[in-house]
PDB file of all heavy atoms in Angstrom:
ATOM      1  N   ILE A 268      20.576  17.043   2.057  1.00  0.00           N
ATOM      2  CA  ILE A 268      20.047  16.089   1.220  1.00  0.00           C
ATOM      3  C   ILE A 268      19.488  14.890   1.864  1.00  0.00           C
ATOM      4  O   ILE A 268      18.404  14.376   1.551  1.00  0.00           O
ATOM      5  CB  ILE A 268      21.190  15.673   0.133  1.00  0.00           C
ATOM      6  CG1 ILE A 268      21.520  16.807  -0.790  1.00  0.00           C
ATOM      7  CG2 ILE A 268      20.766  14.474  -0.620  1.00  0.00           C
ATOM      8  CD1 ILE A 268      22.693  16.622  -1.620  1.00  0.00           C
ATOM      9  N   PHE A 270      18.140  14.840   4.927  1.00  0.00           N
ATOM     10  CA  PHE A 270      16.909  15.248   5.484  1.00  0.00           C
ATOM     11  C   PHE A 270      15.779  15.327   4.449  1.00  0.00           C
ATOM     12  O   PHE A 270      14.634  14.857   4.699  1.00  0.00           O
ATOM     13  CB  PHE A 270      17.107  16.605   6.163  1.00  0.00           C
ATOM     14  CG  PHE A 270      15.833  17.154   6.752  1.00  0.00           C
ATOM     15  CD1 PHE A 270      15.373  16.655   7.949  1.00  0.00           C
ATOM     16  CD2 PHE A 270      15.123  18.191   6.085  1.00  0.00           C
ATOM     17  CE1 PHE A 270      14.187  17.119   8.503  1.00  0.00           C
ATOM     18  CE2 PHE A 270      13.962  18.732   6.674  1.00  0.00           C
ATOM     19  CZ  PHE A 270      13.486  18.122   7.832  1.00  0.00           C
ATOM     20  N   ILE A 272      15.542  13.610   1.607  1.00  0.00           N
ATOM     21  CA  ILE A 272      15.216  12.222   1.227  1.00  0.00           C
ATOM     22  C   ILE A 272      14.287  11.567   2.180  1.00  0.00           C
ATOM     23  O   ILE A 272      13.325  10.953   1.916  1.00  0.00           O
ATOM     24  CB  ILE A 272      16.525  11.395   0.909  1.00  0.00           C
ATOM     25  CG1 ILE A 272      17.156  11.955  -0.354  1.00  0.00           C
ATOM     26  CG2 ILE A 272      16.129   9.922   0.764  1.00  0.00           C
ATOM     27  CD1 ILE A 272      18.510  11.290  -0.597  1.00  0.00           C
ATOM     28  N   MET A 279       5.700  10.239   0.934  1.00  0.00           N
ATOM     29  CA  MET A 279       5.215   9.215  -0.049  1.00  0.00           C
ATOM     30  C   MET A 279       4.445   8.157   0.614  1.00  0.00           C
ATOM     31  O   MET A 279       3.496   7.608   0.018  1.00  0.00           O
ATOM     32  CB  MET A 279       6.380   8.720  -0.842  1.00  0.00           C
ATOM     33  CG  MET A 279       6.931   9.699  -1.853  1.00  0.00           C
ATOM     34  SD  MET A 279       8.286   9.189  -2.907  1.00  0.00           S
ATOM     35  CE  MET A 279       8.955   7.665  -2.195  1.00  0.00           C
ATOM     36  N   VAL A 285      -5.230   6.392  -4.115  1.00  0.00           N
ATOM     37  CA  VAL A 285      -6.058   5.554  -4.930  1.00  0.00           C
ATOM     38  C   VAL A 285      -6.537   6.334  -6.147  1.00  0.00           C
ATOM     39  O   VAL A 285      -7.047   7.412  -5.979  1.00  0.00           O
ATOM     40  CB  VAL A 285      -7.297   5.038  -4.100  1.00  0.00           C
ATOM     41  CG1 VAL A 285      -8.245   4.247  -4.943  1.00  0.00           C
ATOM     42  CG2 VAL A 285      -6.861   4.331  -2.896  1.00  0.00           C
ATOM     43  N   LEU A 295      -1.229   3.341  -4.940  1.00  0.00           N
ATOM     44  CA  LEU A 295       0.117   3.767  -4.803  1.00  0.00           C
ATOM     45  C   LEU A 295       0.465   4.175  -3.377  1.00  0.00           C
ATOM     46  O   LEU A 295      -0.431   4.813  -2.755  1.00  0.00           O
ATOM     47  CB  LEU A 295       0.396   4.997  -5.748  1.00  0.00           C
ATOM     48  CG  LEU A 295       1.719   5.610  -5.632  1.00  0.00           C
ATOM     49  CD1 LEU A 295       2.811   4.764  -6.152  1.00  0.00           C
ATOM     50  CD2 LEU A 295       1.701   6.976  -6.378  1.00  0.00           C
ATOM     51  N   SER A 296       1.475   3.687  -2.855  1.00  0.00           N
ATOM     52  CA  SER A 296       1.986   4.066  -1.494  1.00  0.00           C
ATOM     53  C   SER A 296       3.458   4.020  -1.522  1.00  0.00           C
ATOM     54  O   SER A 296       4.085   2.977  -1.441  1.00  0.00           O
ATOM     55  CB  SER A 296       1.378   3.152  -0.436  1.00  0.00           C
ATOM     56  OG  SER A 296       1.873   3.566   0.828  1.00  0.00           O
ATOM     57  N   PHE A 298       6.881   3.494  -2.615  1.00  0.00           N
ATOM     58  CA  PHE A 298       7.516   2.771  -3.657  1.00  0.00           C
ATOM     59  C   PHE A 298       6.658   1.634  -4.261  1.00  0.00           C
ATOM     60  O   PHE A 298       7.030   0.992  -5.237  1.00  0.00           O
ATOM     61  CB  PHE A 298       8.838   2.103  -3.118  1.00  0.00           C
ATOM     62  CG  PHE A 298       9.772   3.064  -2.478  1.00  0.00           C
ATOM     63  CD1 PHE A 298      10.049   3.130  -1.161  1.00  0.00           C
ATOM     64  CD2 PHE A 298      10.369   4.098  -3.333  1.00  0.00           C
ATOM     65  CE1 PHE A 298      10.900   4.058  -0.633  1.00  0.00           C
ATOM     66  CE2 PHE A 298      11.166   5.044  -2.826  1.00  0.00           C
ATOM     67  CZ  PHE A 298      11.454   5.008  -1.459  1.00  0.00           C
ATOM     68  N   ARG A 300       3.320   0.074  -5.904  1.00  0.00           N
ATOM     69  CA  ARG A 300       2.248   0.433  -6.824  1.00  0.00           C
ATOM     70  C   ARG A 300       1.678  -0.829  -7.384  1.00  0.00           C
ATOM     71  O   ARG A 300       2.361  -1.778  -7.825  1.00  0.00           O
ATOM     72  CB  ARG A 300       2.829   1.307  -7.941  1.00  0.00           C
ATOM     73  CG  ARG A 300       1.827   1.651  -8.995  1.00  0.00           C
ATOM     74  CD  ARG A 300       2.431   2.404 -10.118  1.00  0.00           C
ATOM     75  NE  ARG A 300       1.334   2.675 -10.990  1.00  0.00           N
ATOM     76  CZ  ARG A 300       1.391   3.608 -11.967  1.00  0.00           C
ATOM     77  NH1 ARG A 300       2.429   4.396 -12.099  1.00  0.00           N
ATOM     78  NH2 ARG A 300       0.337   3.793 -12.794  1.00  0.00           N
ATOM     79  N   ILE A 303      -4.822  -2.887 -10.898  1.00  0.00           N
ATOM     80  CA  ILE A 303      -5.676  -4.039 -11.069  1.00  0.00           C
ATOM     81  C   ILE A 303      -6.833  -3.713 -12.055  1.00  0.00           C
ATOM     82  O   ILE A 303      -7.717  -2.826 -11.654  1.00  0.00           O
ATOM     83  CB  ILE A 303      -6.275  -4.446  -9.716  1.00  0.00           C
ATOM     84  CG1 ILE A 303      -5.162  -4.759  -8.759  1.00  0.00           C
ATOM     85  CG2 ILE A 303      -7.155  -5.719  -9.899  1.00  0.00           C
ATOM     86  CD1 ILE A 303      -5.636  -5.055  -7.283  1.00  0.00           C
ATOM     87  N   ALA A 306     -11.713  -6.232 -14.613  1.00  0.00           N
ATOM     88  CA  ALA A 306     -12.044  -7.570 -15.224  1.00  0.00           C
ATOM     89  C   ALA A 306     -11.224  -8.688 -14.568  1.00  0.00           C
ATOM     90  O   ALA A 306     -11.681  -9.860 -14.584  1.00  0.00           O
ATOM     91  CB  ALA A 306     -11.754  -7.514 -16.682  1.00  0.00           C
ATOM     92  N   GLU A 321       4.740 -13.444   6.159  1.00  0.00           N
ATOM     93  CA  GLU A 321       6.180 -13.104   6.244  1.00  0.00           C
ATOM     94  C   GLU A 321       6.408 -11.894   5.322  1.00  0.00           C
ATOM     95  O   GLU A 321       6.015 -11.857   4.098  1.00  0.00           O
ATOM     96  CB  GLU A 321       6.973 -14.324   5.712  1.00  0.00           C
ATOM     97  CG  GLU A 321       8.458 -14.125   5.578  1.00  0.00           C
ATOM     98  CD  GLU A 321       9.163 -15.285   4.929  1.00  0.00           C
ATOM     99  OE1 GLU A 321       8.467 -16.222   4.452  1.00  0.00           O
ATOM    100  OE2 GLU A 321      10.371 -15.140   4.823  1.00  0.00           O
ATOM    101  N   ARG A 337       4.402 -12.576   1.959  1.00  0.00           N
ATOM    102  CA  ARG A 337       4.176 -13.911   1.490  1.00  0.00           C
ATOM    103  C   ARG A 337       3.528 -14.687   2.656  1.00  0.00           C
ATOM    104  O   ARG A 337       3.905 -14.614   3.782  1.00  0.00           O
ATOM    105  CB  ARG A 337       5.390 -14.642   1.120  1.00  0.00           C
ATOM    106  CG  ARG A 337       5.189 -15.995   0.520  1.00  0.00           C
ATOM    107  CD  ARG A 337       6.433 -16.710   0.006  1.00  0.00           C
ATOM    108  NE  ARG A 337       7.492 -16.679   1.000  1.00  0.00           N
ATOM    109  CZ  ARG A 337       8.759 -16.426   0.748  1.00  0.00           C
ATOM    110  NH1 ARG A 337       9.171 -16.158  -0.531  1.00  0.00           N
ATOM    111  NH2 ARG A 337       9.642 -16.478   1.690  1.00  0.00           N
ATOM    112  N   ASP A 341       1.881 -20.937   2.383  1.00  0.00           N
ATOM    113  CA  ASP A 341       1.785 -20.998   0.956  1.00  0.00           C
ATOM    114  C   ASP A 341       3.174 -21.169   0.301  1.00  0.00           C
ATOM    115  O   ASP A 341       3.698 -20.326  -0.294  1.00  0.00           O
ATOM    116  CB  ASP A 341       1.084 -19.767   0.447  1.00  0.00           C
ATOM    117  CG  ASP A 341       0.711 -19.953  -1.024  1.00  0.00           C
ATOM    118  OD1 ASP A 341       0.726 -21.027  -1.520  1.00  0.00           O
ATOM    119  OD2 ASP A 341       0.263 -18.960  -1.632  1.00  0.00           O
ATOM    120  N   ASN A 354      -4.661   1.883   8.462  1.00  0.00           N
ATOM    121  CA  ASN A 354      -5.143   1.785   9.869  1.00  0.00           C
ATOM    122  C   ASN A 354      -5.450   0.356  10.169  1.00  0.00           C
ATOM    123  O   ASN A 354      -6.481  -0.172   9.805  1.00  0.00           O
ATOM    124  CB  ASN A 354      -6.444   2.655  10.077  1.00  0.00           C
ATOM    125  CG  ASN A 354      -6.746   2.841  11.507  1.00  0.00           C
ATOM    126  OD1 ASN A 354      -6.370   2.090  12.361  1.00  0.00           O
ATOM    127  ND2 ASN A 354      -7.548   3.821  11.835  1.00  0.00           N
ATOM    128  N   LEU A 368      -3.875 -14.004  -6.775  1.00  0.00           N
ATOM    129  CA  LEU A 368      -3.185 -12.911  -6.175  1.00  0.00           C
ATOM    130  C   LEU A 368      -4.012 -12.156  -5.201  1.00  0.00           C
ATOM    131  O   LEU A 368      -5.244 -12.000  -5.480  1.00  0.00           O
ATOM    132  CB  LEU A 368      -2.634 -11.907  -7.273  1.00  0.00           C
ATOM    133  CG  LEU A 368      -1.626 -12.598  -8.273  1.00  0.00           C
ATOM    134  CD1 LEU A 368      -1.326 -11.536  -9.361  1.00  0.00           C
ATOM    135  CD2 LEU A 368      -0.418 -13.035  -7.590  1.00  0.00           C
ATOM    136  N   LYS A 375      -7.201   5.633   5.702  1.00  0.00           N
ATOM    137  CA  LYS A 375      -7.152   6.188   7.050  1.00  0.00           C
ATOM    138  C   LYS A 375      -8.552   6.441   7.557  1.00  0.00           C
ATOM    139  O   LYS A 375      -8.820   6.157   8.766  1.00  0.00           O
ATOM    140  CB  LYS A 375      -6.378   7.466   7.035  1.00  0.00           C
ATOM    141  CG  LYS A 375      -5.992   8.018   8.431  1.00  0.00           C
ATOM    142  CD  LYS A 375      -4.944   9.099   8.244  1.00  0.00           C
ATOM    143  CE  LYS A 375      -4.160   9.130   9.531  1.00  0.00           C
ATOM    144  NZ  LYS A 375      -2.743   9.320   9.320  1.00  0.00           N
ATOM    145  N   VAL A 378     -14.876   5.746   6.392  1.00  0.00           N
ATOM    146  CA  VAL A 378     -15.963   6.077   5.423  1.00  0.00           C
ATOM    147  C   VAL A 378     -15.349   6.005   4.024  1.00  0.00           C
ATOM    148  O   VAL A 378     -16.020   5.463   3.129  1.00  0.00           O
ATOM    149  CB  VAL A 378     -16.561   7.444   5.702  1.00  0.00           C
ATOM    150  CG1 VAL A 378     -17.563   7.848   4.681  1.00  0.00           C
ATOM    151  CG2 VAL A 378     -17.196   7.463   7.081  1.00  0.00           C
ATOM    152  N   GLU A 379     -14.184   6.434   3.822  1.00  0.00           N
ATOM    153  CA  GLU A 379     -13.484   6.391   2.516  1.00  0.00           C
ATOM    154  C   GLU A 379     -13.245   4.885   2.151  1.00  0.00           C
ATOM    155  O   GLU A 379     -13.414   4.492   1.011  1.00  0.00           O
ATOM    156  CB  GLU A 379     -12.190   7.098   2.509  1.00  0.00           C
ATOM    157  CG  GLU A 379     -12.336   8.639   2.515  1.00  0.00           C
ATOM    158  CD  GLU A 379     -11.016   9.348   2.512  1.00  0.00           C
ATOM    159  OE1 GLU A 379      -9.967   8.748   2.138  1.00  0.00           O
ATOM    160  OE2 GLU A 379     -11.000  10.503   2.937  1.00  0.00           O
ATOM    161  N   LEU A 392     -19.104  -6.553 -10.016  1.00  0.00           N
ATOM    162  CA  LEU A 392     -20.395  -7.084 -10.468  1.00  0.00           C
ATOM    163  C   LEU A 392     -20.728  -6.654 -11.894  1.00  0.00           C
ATOM    164  O   LEU A 392     -21.241  -7.441 -12.670  1.00  0.00           O
ATOM    165  CB  LEU A 392     -21.585  -6.640  -9.577  1.00  0.00           C
ATOM    166  CG  LEU A 392     -21.533  -7.231  -8.143  1.00  0.00           C
ATOM    167  CD1 LEU A 392     -22.667  -6.624  -7.317  1.00  0.00           C
ATOM    168  CD2 LEU A 392     -21.680  -8.716  -8.233  1.00  0.00           C
TER     169      LEU A 392
END
Side-chain angles (χ1 to χ4, degrees):
I268 290 172
F270 178 75
I272 290 172
M279 288 184 341
V285 178
L295 174 70
S296 180
F298 305 113
R300 179 184 177 162
I303 303 172
E321 173 187 3
R337 182 176 54 222
D341 194 9
N354 192 340
L368 298 176
K375 196 167 204 138
V378 175
E379 289 179 20
L392 290 176

